[in-house]
Amino acid sequence: MLSPVPSLPDQARTESPPDLLSVKGLVKHYALPGRWFGRAGVIPAVDDVSFSIGSRETLGLVGESGSGKSTIGRMIMRLIRPTAGNILFDGQDWLASSGEEFRRARRRVQMVFQSPYASLDPRWRIADIVAEPLRTHQSLPAAELRDRVAGLLQAVGLDPSVADRHPHQFSGGQRQRIGIARAIALEPDLLVADEPVSALDVSVQAQILALLQDIKARGRLSMLFISHDLSVVAYLCDRVGVLYRGRLVELAGTRSLFHAPGHPYTRALLAAIPGSGQRCEASAPSSAAVSETGCAYASRCPHAREPCRTIVPALRPSGSGALIACHRVGEI
Amino acid sequence: MSTPLLQVHDLRVEYASPRGLVRAVAGVSLSLDRNRILGLVGESGCGKSTVGQALLGLIQPPGRIAGGDIRFENRSLVGLPEREMRRLRGNRLSMIFQDPTATLNPVMTIGDQIAELFRWHRPRMRRKEVQTRVTELLERVGIVDADRRSRAYPHELSGGMRQRVVIACALALDPALIVADEPTTALDVTVQAQILDLIRGLQAEHGTAVILVSHDLGVIAETCDDVAVMYAGRIVESGPTAEVLARPRHPYTAGLIASRPSITAPDQVVRPIPGTVPDLANPPVGCPFHPRCVRAVAGCREGIPALSPTREEPRHAVACPLAA
């Protein structure tokens, strides 16, 4: 049942059908509290990020804390409003839709959250938690609703008899299964999963990864998979975007990213994975030394030269088919 | 130096809970020499943190040490009066916790927090000397501009910097043993690499023994000389790290390794361990792993297997009759 999905060569993506989700120039600024008599500053949490997700494709977004990966997920879910940029979902302006139109489209995009403890209402029965999206978006007779819930629980590897219990009676892994059952209840086209396995133990993490892999293989689901854990992303994603301080620094097919990382930051991230057998060449991140201009990574980068400190590098195609935002790509 | 620095024999820690007695640590024995790093690895609830807390005398009611012995520098720590324990803690043995934000006092400068250790344990040391030592320590853990930074409050530092300060505190009085409980779990992966480097460096330079408690086999592989894998309050496998990870004998250790996707072989399918960790208030009869074990036979329900050396490598021990 869990046979590995055959992975397409990276180039095959170029002639794939129109994108399900397309994000262009996404920006989110947060205002810093102003000092006395001083001017309030601005933190660019997400800065000019563009990417797209094809039908049945899983795109991974990786980065360290503060890189803006969760903010992007939340903007796609319309939980927070972007400062600038647009999002097209299935060709429609996703941010402009409202009312009934938005309600109808909304069911096609669902989310799995990080904490299986905070994301389920402790006072609700499992049946009600899983049925809520169905009740909101479809009016089904009670018997059919019950069958649908039972089917969903089975699909995520839980016994339908658990429907009458409450969340506290379940382990973290089981709760995450419930969260996934709820997210796939409306058969969405896009699942936004924000660190769905980070709060789980290693052996349970593998169960949830296998479940997501299985759901992916069975349906026509696309996924935005947000994680700080590169090995999990390598396992589940077709393409991967690497974020650093709110900017995409590399976007490439999973295979090429892990075998031939192009951006110095991607290389540092891979080398930092314990057990990778490599030494991390990046210097310590420092909050002070980030320049207003130039590449945000320049202060840590062992390859930084003059243009790196003055001109922001754009995300450009490199020889290998990957998109890389580095002035020195090809030289290093 | 024939006797090891630390010898733990059949340690048992219990917690009274409304659901009954929870045997968090159910008979753990281990020994550690100077200059070695031992990894304790396992999933949540396996008792790895409880072992660390017991070593520092930090088990509080409703928990208690129900049996066994901890010998450190040739004296027994179990039943040691709190006054004596306090003299050892932070001094001969110290601890690095997971969350540096919760460890540090938010209303004291980091310099004062380190200085406090000297005032408490070395009351005769002069102010000037304390100040010099504080600066030295901050430099040793890789904080640049240490003199100025010592006047910073914890909130003015990044998570990685705060963890460096916590490590400086743990090192201040030159302890013989440091217990580091998930010291990098709250940190980003590039920062984690630096902190692990730092921990390895301490051991190499000062001969400090370290017990590293972690859920992450990668962290253990990169840092520890020896490893003990815990499950349901017991050590199920132990030995030299490279040997145990390359040739795991216990089905649980093998399962943990197979559960992790590998970046070097992403096409390899992860094989989860079915089921979840047992409830320690109501543990399974026999081998605690048997309900999840693919190799379990009827005999696994009778009696708890003892940790015994394997034939090929006596330092590699496993608590599974099917694997030894």
Side-chain angles (χ1 to χ4, degrees), chain A residues 272-287:
Chain A
I273 298 174
S276 66
Q278 298 173 56
R279 304 298 332 133
C280 186
E281 58 179 4
S283 60
S286 56
S287 45

PDB file of all heavy atoms in Angstrom, chain A residues 272-287:
ATOM      1  N   ALA A 272      24.429  20.753   8.490  1.00  0.00           N
ATOM      2  CA  ALA A 272      24.146  20.851   9.929  1.00  0.00           C
ATOM      3  C   ALA A 272      23.304  19.693  10.437  1.00  0.00           C
ATOM      4  O   ALA A 272      23.165  19.508  11.639  1.00  0.00           O
ATOM      5  CB  ALA A 272      23.443  22.172  10.228  1.00  0.00           C
ATOM      6  N   ILE A 273      22.725  18.906   9.538  1.00  0.00           N
ATOM      7  CA  ILE A 273      21.907  17.788   9.997  1.00  0.00           C
ATOM      8  C   ILE A 273      22.804  16.802  10.722  1.00  0.00           C
ATOM      9  O   ILE A 273      23.793  16.349  10.175  1.00  0.00           O
ATOM     10  CB  ILE A 273      21.229  17.074   8.813  1.00  0.00           C
ATOM     11  CG1 ILE A 273      20.300  18.035   8.093  1.00  0.00           C
ATOM     12  CG2 ILE A 273      20.463  15.849   9.287  1.00  0.00           C
ATOM     13  CD1 ILE A 273      19.717  17.455   6.831  1.00  0.00           C
ATOM     14  N   PRO A 274      22.484  16.492  11.997  1.00  0.00           N
ATOM     15  CA  PRO A 274      23.336  15.559  12.722  1.00  0.00           C
ATOM     16  C   PRO A 274      23.377  14.222  11.989  1.00  0.00           C
ATOM     17  O   PRO A 274      22.356  13.754  11.495  1.00  0.00           O
ATOM     18  CB  PRO A 274      22.634  15.400  14.066  1.00  0.00           C
ATOM     19  CG  PRO A 274      21.651  16.495  14.145  1.00  0.00           C
ATOM     20  CD  PRO A 274      21.334  16.927  12.762  1.00  0.00           C
ATOM     21  N   GLY A 275      24.564  13.666  11.905  1.00  0.00           N
ATOM     22  CA  GLY A 275      24.708  12.371  11.250  1.00  0.00           C
ATOM     23  C   GLY A 275      24.951  12.490   9.759  1.00  0.00           C
ATOM     24  O   GLY A 275      25.120  11.497   9.071  1.00  0.00           O
ATOM     25  N   SER A 276      24.984  13.747   9.236  1.00  0.00           N
ATOM     26  CA  SER A 276      25.227  13.918   7.802  1.00  0.00           C
ATOM     27  C   SER A 276      26.705  13.707   7.486  1.00  0.00           C
ATOM     28  O   SER A 276      27.079  13.563   6.335  1.00  0.00           O
ATOM     29  CB  SER A 276      24.803  15.313   7.348  1.00  0.00           C
ATOM     30  OG  SER A 276      25.622  16.298   7.939  1.00  0.00           O
ATOM     31  N   GLY A 277      27.527  13.725   8.538  1.00  0.00           N
ATOM     32  CA  GLY A 277      28.946  13.501   8.340  1.00  0.00           C
ATOM     33  C   GLY A 277      29.665  14.685   7.736  1.00  0.00           C
ATOM     34  O   GLY A 277      30.803  14.585   7.328  1.00  0.00           O
ATOM     35  N   GLN A 278      28.993  15.829   7.671  1.00  0.00           N
ATOM     36  CA  GLN A 278      29.642  17.018   7.119  1.00  0.00           C
ATOM     37  C   GLN A 278      29.808  18.059   8.212  1.00  0.00           C
ATOM     38  O   GLN A 278      29.132  18.028   9.217  1.00  0.00           O
ATOM     39  CB  GLN A 278      28.784  17.619   6.002  1.00  0.00           C
ATOM     40  CG  GLN A 278      28.599  16.694   4.834  1.00  0.00           C
ATOM     41  CD  GLN A 278      27.615  17.281   3.854  1.00  0.00           C
ATOM     42  OE1 GLN A 278      27.768  18.373   3.367  1.00  0.00           O
ATOM     43  NE2 GLN A 278      26.563  16.534   3.586  1.00  0.00           N
ATOM     44  N   ARG A 279      30.722  18.996   7.996  1.00  0.00           N
ATOM     45  CA  ARG A 279      30.870  20.083   8.944  1.00  0.00           C
ATOM     46  C   ARG A 279      30.140  21.295   8.408  1.00  0.00           C
ATOM     47  O   ARG A 279      30.131  21.554   7.220  1.00  0.00           O
ATOM     48  CB  ARG A 279      32.350  20.458   9.159  1.00  0.00           C
ATOM     49  CG  ARG A 279      33.224  19.329   9.602  1.00  0.00           C
ATOM     50  CD  ARG A 279      32.896  18.682  10.961  1.00  0.00           C
ATOM     51  NE  ARG A 279      32.266  19.520  11.936  1.00  0.00           N
ATOM     52  CZ  ARG A 279      31.200  19.127  12.624  1.00  0.00           C
ATOM     53  NH1 ARG A 279      30.643  17.971  12.387  1.00  0.00           N
ATOM     54  NH2 ARG A 279      30.693  19.900  13.530  1.00  0.00           N
ATOM     55  N   CYS A 280      29.536  22.018   9.321  1.00  0.00           N
ATOM     56  CA  CYS A 280      28.793  23.206   8.938  1.00  0.00           C
ATOM     57  C   CYS A 280      29.783  24.356   8.743  1.00  0.00           C
ATOM     58  O   CYS A 280      30.581  24.650   9.615  1.00  0.00           O
ATOM     59  CB  CYS A 280      27.813  23.539  10.061  1.00  0.00           C
ATOM     60  SG  CYS A 280      26.730  24.863   9.682  1.00  0.00           S
ATOM     61  N   GLU A 281      29.756  24.982   7.566  1.00  0.00           N
ATOM     62  CA  GLU A 281      30.748  26.023   7.304  1.00  0.00           C
ATOM     63  C   GLU A 281      30.220  27.431   7.598  1.00  0.00           C
ATOM     64  O   GLU A 281      30.981  28.389   7.585  1.00  0.00           O
ATOM     65  CB  GLU A 281      31.209  25.940   5.839  1.00  0.00           C
ATOM     66  CG  GLU A 281      30.068  26.072   4.853  1.00  0.00           C
ATOM     67  CD  GLU A 281      30.526  26.013   3.395  1.00  0.00           C
ATOM     68  OE1 GLU A 281      31.728  25.794   3.155  1.00  0.00           O
ATOM     69  OE2 GLU A 281      29.683  26.208   2.521  1.00  0.00           O
ATOM     70  N   ALA A 282      28.920  27.549   7.870  1.00  0.00           N
ATOM     71  CA  ALA A 282      28.374  28.881   8.130  1.00  0.00           C
ATOM     72  C   ALA A 282      28.791  29.367   9.511  1.00  0.00           C
ATOM     73  O   ALA A 282      28.967  28.576  10.429  1.00  0.00           O
ATOM     74  CB  ALA A 282      26.861  28.848   8.042  1.00  0.00           C
ATOM     75  N   SER A 283      28.958  30.654   9.661  1.00  0.00           N
ATOM     76  CA  SER A 283      29.223  31.206  10.973  1.00  0.00           C
ATOM     77  C   SER A 283      27.896  31.374  11.705  1.00  0.00           C
ATOM     78  O   SER A 283      26.832  31.186  11.140  1.00  0.00           O
ATOM     79  CB  SER A 283      29.939  32.539  10.837  1.00  0.00           C
ATOM     80  OG  SER A 283      29.132  33.421  10.105  1.00  0.00           O
ATOM     81  N   ALA A 284      28.012  31.738  12.968  1.00  0.00           N
ATOM     82  CA  ALA A 284      26.811  31.846  13.790  1.00  0.00           C
ATOM     83  C   ALA A 284      25.887  32.929  13.252  1.00  0.00           C
ATOM     84  O   ALA A 284      26.346  33.942  12.736  1.00  0.00           O
ATOM     85  CB  ALA A 284      27.215  32.188  15.214  1.00  0.00           C
ATOM     86  N   PRO A 285      24.567  32.694  13.341  1.00  0.00           N
ATOM     87  CA  PRO A 285      23.666  33.759  12.940  1.00  0.00           C
ATOM     88  C   PRO A 285      23.776  34.905  13.931  1.00  0.00           C
ATOM     89  O   PRO A 285      23.891  34.682  15.121  1.00  0.00           O
ATOM     90  CB  PRO A 285      22.293  33.101  13.027  1.00  0.00           C
ATOM     91  CG  PRO A 285      22.460  31.971  13.973  1.00  0.00           C
ATOM     92  CD  PRO A 285      23.881  31.533  13.873  1.00  0.00           C
ATOM     93  N   SER A 286      23.817  36.109  13.450  1.00  0.00           N
ATOM     94  CA  SER A 286      23.870  37.238  14.371  1.00  0.00           C
ATOM     95  C   SER A 286      22.725  38.180  14.041  1.00  0.00           C
ATOM     96  O   SER A 286      22.438  38.430  12.886  1.00  0.00           O
ATOM     97  CB  SER A 286      25.202  37.967  14.222  1.00  0.00           C
ATOM     98  OG  SER A 286      25.365  38.362  12.884  1.00  0.00           O
ATOM     99  N   SER A 287      22.078  38.658  15.069  1.00  0.00           N
ATOM    100  CA  SER A 287      20.926  39.512  14.818  1.00  0.00           C
ATOM    101  C   SER A 287      21.381  40.906  14.410  1.00  0.00           C
ATOM    102  O   SER A 287      20.707  41.613  13.688  1.00  0.00           O
ATOM    103  CB  SER A 287      20.042  39.576  16.060  1.00  0.00           C
ATOM    104  OG  SER A 287      20.843  39.769  17.197  1.00  0.00           O
TER     105      SER A 287
END
